[in-house]
Amino acid sequence: MNNRIISDYSEIFETYQELKGDFLESHIAKLKELDMYMPHSSTFFCVTNTTTRSFEYVSKNFHPSTGLDAVAMCQQGMTYWWEQMHPDEMQLWLQSLTDLMTFTMSEINVHDRKKVSYTWNYRIKVADGLYRSILQHTTPMYFDEEGKPVIGLAHYSLLPAVSKFMPIRATAKMLNQNEEYETVFFKTYSEQKLISEQITFRERDIIRLISFGHSSEDIAEKLFISTNTVNSHRRNILKKTDCKNTSELVARSIREGMI
């Protein structure tokens, strides 16, 4: 494992607080209970501890999804996971984490940080030796004394194998007064530009809600805007993406990581 990667990661999540208490054990106990009832799928979850670069818990779908060693994942922590990542993406991935943390600490009020959730992607080498794209969605569970998120619940979705390269993207979304996510940060870490780069934060939120089956009226209420504004955004989105209808838009959004 590249020591520079470990050093850079540690610097991003540096904390001066010693984490104590039984809150983590309580969370893990409940998550283990829930994990018993989770169906087998290509999605798994982990409780990540950035202060120790460890996984406090790895769900049962980890091995079926990736074919990788769950015991090694638990014992070796993030070092084992990083060893599976595509070497060409390590620095881009670190830059995305740095930008997300910088944005959080400088732009998000300390009282609002518990409302923020983060999404990014990268490639890992699965058991058959091929690299597959992973979409990671992390929600903070605990913050240090400076308000830095240091322990999180991370959901990982192994995406279908495709020949087309998927650029690394980082997104931060924050819950509004209606408990609906609104995009507050988005950045692509690649020279490759797709049509999604033309999509605004507001349009991205509308696409996500369309994919959930919400009507224009529902979307307007959730995002505190008028129905006419939503319909205008929908027309603009279809024009920008060159999609003929909503079904084509949703399919393309999933494929290109716009949601």
Side-chain angles (χ1 to χ4, degrees):
M1 185 68 222
N2 188 327
N3 289 330
R4 175 65 186 276
I5 297 297
I6 295 176
S7 175
D8 289 349
Y9 184 88
S10 299
E11 184 175 339
I12 295 170
F13 291 101
E14 181 182 17
T15 181
Y16 298 100
Q17 179 182 8
E18 182 181 358
L19 302 178
K20 297 179 179 179
D22 60 355
F23 69 92
L24 191 56
E25 288 75 14
S26 298
H27 278 306
I28 292 173
K30 296 304 294 183
L31 289 170
K32 285 182 177 179
E33 182 180 327
L34 291 172
D35 196 26
M36 293 175 58
Y37 300 98
M38 293 287 287
H40 290 288
S41 69
S42 58
T43 297
F44 59 95
F45 67 87
C46 304
V47 178
T48 64
N49 187 332
T50 61
T51 64
T52 59
R53 300 191 300 276
S54 64
F55 295 105
E56 304 292 343
Y57 182 67
V58 176
S59 71
K60 67 182 182 184
N61 278 339
F62 172 74
H63 177 70
S65 296
T66 64
L68 299 175
D69 189 343
V71 174
M73 183 77 161
C74 292
Q75 292 180 345
Q76 300 177 38
M78 295 181 185
T79 301
Y80 175 79
W81 185 237
W82 295 339
E83 287 174 346
Q84 318 310 321
M85 293 177 66
H86 198 293
D88 293 344
E89 295 182 345
M90 293 295 293
Q91 290 300 330
L92 293 175
W93 166 75
L94 277 170
Q95 185 61 54
S96 71
L97 294 188
T98 299
D99 290 349
L100 285 172
M101 185 60 68
T102 300
F103 174 81
T104 298
M105 300 301 288
S106 62
E107 302 295 333
I108 303 296
N109 184 287
V110 65
H111 300 295
D112 289 332
R113 290 175 192 168
K114 61 184 178 182
K115 303 176 184 178
V116 181
S117 191
Y118 307 92
T119 306
W120 61 91
N121 63 284
Y122 46 86
R123 285 178 291 172
I124 66 159
K125 185 166 61 176
V126 294
D128 60 9
L130 299 177
Y131 283 98
R132 297 275 297 277
S133 291
I134 280 275
L135 186 66
Q136 180 174 342
H137 182 98
T138 297
T139 302
M141 297 171 63
Y142 190 75
F143 301 81
D144 69 8
E145 292 174 346
E146 295 181 347
K148 181 181 291 185
V150 291
I151 294 180
L153 176 60
H155 286 84
Y156 303 79
S157 296
L158 190 68
L159 303 182
V162 294
S163 57
K164 192 173 183 179
F165 169 71
M166 183 177 179
I168 292 180
R169 297 184 179 92
T171 307
K173 298 184 287 290
M174 187 163 67
L175 291 171
N176 63 21
Q177 294 176 9
N178 281 338
E179 298 299 312
E180 182 59 55
Y181 277 134
E182 293 193 37
T183 302
V184 292
F185 177 92
F186 176 81
K187 187 173 180 180
T188 297
Y189 297 83
S190 170
E191 294 181 357
Q192 179 182 356
K193 299 296 183 183
L194 302 180
I195 191 68
S196 60
E197 299 311 300
Q198 303 176 37
I199 301 299
T200 66
F201 287 179
R202 176 63 80 197
E203 290 168 344
R204 191 175 302 278
D205 295 331
I206 288 173
I207 291 173
R208 184 170 59 251
L209 292 171
I210 289 174
S211 72
F212 294 158
H214 293 299
S215 66
S216 293
E217 291 75 14
D218 292 336
I219 296 171
E221 181 178 353
K222 289 177 178 294
L223 298 181
F224 303 103
I225 55 180
S226 71
T227 302
N228 287 339
T229 299
V230 174
N231 288 331
S232 178
H233 280 307
R234 294 181 73 141
R235 289 191 296 271
N236 289 337
I237 292 167
L238 290 176
K239 183 177 181 180
K240 286 182 178 180
T241 58
D242 197 28
C243 291
K244 297 181 178 64
N245 51 50
T246 299
S247 298
E248 185 178 339
L249 171 66
V250 171
R252 182 167 187 177
S253 299
I254 294 173
R255 185 170 64 250
E256 295 194 6
M258 284 189 280
I259 297 179

